[in-house]
Amino acid sequence: MVGRMQCSPTGPRKGRARLTGRTGRPRSAAADAAILDATRAALVELGWGKLTMGDVAARAKVAKTTLYRRWAGKNELVLDAVAVLFDELELPDRGSLKDDIEGVVLQFAALLARPETKTALMAVVAESTTDDALRTRIREAVVERQKRLVVQGRQRAQRRGELPPDGGGPEGAAAAARSVDLIFDVIAGAVVHRALVSGEPVDAAWAARFTTLLLAGLGGLETRD
Amino acid sequence: MVGRMQCSPTGPRKGRARLTGRTGRPRSAAADAAILDATRAALVELGWGKLTMGDVAARAKVAKTTLYRRWAGKNELVLDAVAVLFDELELPDRGSLKDDIEGVVLQFAALLARPETKTALMAVVAESTTDDALRTRIREAVVERQKRLVVQGRQRAQRRGELPPDGGGPEGAAAAARSVDLIFDVIAGAVVHRALVSGEPVDAAWAARFTTLLLAGLGGLETRD
DNA sequence: CTCTTTCGCTACGAGTCGTAGCGTAACTCT
DNA sequence: AGAGTTACGCTACGACTCGTAGCGAAAGAG
């Protein structure tokens, strides 16, 4: 849960709800789950544009005011509702870097094929271009969390000898971090663009050709296909 | 202009406004320009989310009804307002494939750095996930039009001997088309993701490292950086 | 001069937003 | 048990936006 608002603006202590030092009626965890489920359901049926706070409240069977007590608005609510879906992504060891990349590409594509994910992700990013706080939260809730997949796949490939090890010292670590960022942007960006902008399927054949390009570069792609 | 509505639902002929066979008062081309300029200005100041049709009409000094006579809604209007910006992209011959790619990446990044472009592009794509007609129009107005850059750069590289020529026959042509699609998704996707999702600058250093990755693959990137 | 279409303007019902106010429910601490 | 604190459901509200209808006037075609 990234987007929760402060619980008690007047409260003297800032501990979390279930910890000591917090008095008063606690927030209903069931309401949280119901609201986020309702948000995802509304995204599926209505899409971002026609989703309204009142509709979500009605689906979740809570008062509209309860929504506004917990989230500042539609942007934050929808972000929280879809961010958790990205944590389902995994990187099972398939034995080679190529197979690892193809696997995660297809997983990511399956996630983006879900209607609630695609309509919400792009819309929230669009809103974030005029809302710095939202952009920071997207980075924390989605982008930085999922870079773990790149880090993990890269480490595995280095252990296998498929990629050279990191250079030593602080420069080496900085270069490794830049590489992770770059690779993440390339993989995530390409899949998102293919799926949502070009609007064509990310299937096994595309994943294979993309992975070939990523591993061998343009020259390697052209000689194979 | 992609998103114009039919001019005369009752008209017997379907020719354009300025052609013969069209009677009545013609639409004001000046109003068109004023509306699209006003739309871009409103996007800069308000962003997609807070832009309203009434506001655009007031800025353009036309009646709100005039907007609805020409565009079905906000989606179509904004798409038309920003699609033309993408036609400014060029691919000057810088002598090598690497320099050509870096050049177009930086141009594209500069375009995405403009507030009206980034807020509108992502929002319209988000809306297109629940609106097939809009998705088709985005493809026609933006995606397919800009693939010319990939085609042109690829042909140049083949002439220079930096990339192998296309295979012969229909299979070769189909493979070439798939390669163009793939490369376009990778380049455009990576730049968009870096600029808008990761929210970090697409500068010359990033463009150089991205191009290295694209040309040589993951192995080539890691040994250099 | 007539026909056709567009234009500006006003007005409208419908829908959404985000908040305020109130009484009640739930939990903590003394 | 009682007092204090916080969350909840509900209602109501002004402000705003939407998209359309209806009107008379303007601009071009034949």
Side-chain angles (χ1 to χ4, degrees), chain B residues 7 24-25 65-66 69-70:
Chain B
C7 297
R25 177 178 177 175
T65 45
T66 299
R69 287 190 186 102
R70 304 188 184 198

Side-chain angles (χ1 to χ4, degrees), chain A residues 7 22-25 28 63 65-66 69-70:
Chain A
C7 298
R22 189 81 162 76
T23 73
R25 176 177 178 175
S28 162
T65 45
T66 298
R69 287 191 186 102
R70 306 190 183 197

Side-chain angles (χ1 to χ4, degrees), chain A residues 135 139, chain B residues 193-201:
Chain A
R135 192 160 62 82
R139 285 187 52 159
Chain B
H193 200 275
R194 167 81 175 181
L196 303 187
V197 182
S198 294
E200 296 185 35

Side-chain angles (χ1 to χ4, degrees), chain A residues 138-216:
Chain A
I138 292 175
R139 285 187 52 159
E140 293 171 353
V142 182
V143 179
E144 293 301 326
R145 290 178 68 89
Q146 304 314 324
K147 275 184 185 167
R148 63 189 167 87
L149 298 167
V150 176
V151 172
Q152 187 178 2
R154 191 163 168 276
Q155 286 175 345
R156 257 190 220 149
Q158 288 174 329
R159 253 184 262 124
R160 293 191 195 107
E162 295 171 301
L163 290 178
D166 292 352
E171 313 86 24
R178 281 200 302 274
S179 286
V180 168
D181 288 352
L182 175 60
I183 295 164
F184 184 76
D185 283 328
V186 170
I187 295 178
V191 174
V192 169
H193 199 276
R194 166 81 176 181
L196 303 188
V197 182
S198 294
E200 296 186 35
V202 178
D203 51 17
W206 187 87
R209 288 173 43 247
F210 169 69
T211 306
T212 299
L213 171 62
L214 192 59
L215 288 177

Side-chain angles (χ1 to χ4, degrees), chain B residues 47-209:
Chain B
W48 164 271
K50 297 182 179 173
L51 179 145
T52 66
M53 298 293 272
D55 187 88
V56 171
R59 286 171 193 259
K61 289 171 179 149
V62 299
K64 194 172 60 163
T65 45
T66 299
L67 282 186
Y68 284 104
R69 287 190 186 102
R70 304 188 184 198
W71 287 276
K74 189 168 150 177
N75 294 339
E76 291 77 7
L77 171 61
V78 170
L79 176 58
D80 274 8
V82 299
V84 294
L85 301 178
F86 286 83
D87 289 333
E88 299 171 3
L89 296 175
E90 294 176 353
L91 192 65
D93 192 335
R94 296 173 183 266
S96 71
L97 178 56
K98 175 176 173 57
D99 290 336
D100 281 1
I101 294 177
E102 285 190 23
V104 79
V105 161
L106 290 176
Q107 270 190 65
F108 188 39
L111 185 57
L112 284 182
R114 299 172 61 167
E116 67 271 35
T117 311
K118 55 182 171 189
T119 192
L121 183 65
M122 298 300 277
V124 171
V125 170
E127 290 297 308
S128 77
T129 61
T130 55
D131 183 342
D132 284 339
L134 183 62
R135 192 161 63 82
T136 299
R137 283 174 50 178
I138 292 175
R139 287 187 49 160
E140 292 171 355
V142 182
V143 179
E144 293 300 327
R145 290 178 69 90
Q146 304 314 325
K147 276 185 185 167
R148 62 190 167 85
L149 298 167
V150 176
V151 172
Q152 188 178 0
R154 193 162 167 276
Q155 286 175 345
R156 260 191 217 148
Q158 288 173 329
R159 253 182 263 125
R160 293 190 195 108
E162 294 172 300
L163 291 178
D166 292 352
E171 313 86 25
R178 281 200 303 273
S179 286
V180 168
D181 288 352
L182 174 60
I183 295 164
F184 185 76
D185 283 329
V186 170
I187 295 178
V191 175
V192 169
H193 200 275
R194 167 81 175 181
L196 303 187
V197 182
S198 294
E200 296 185 35
V202 178
D203 51 17
W206 187 88
R209 289 175 39 249

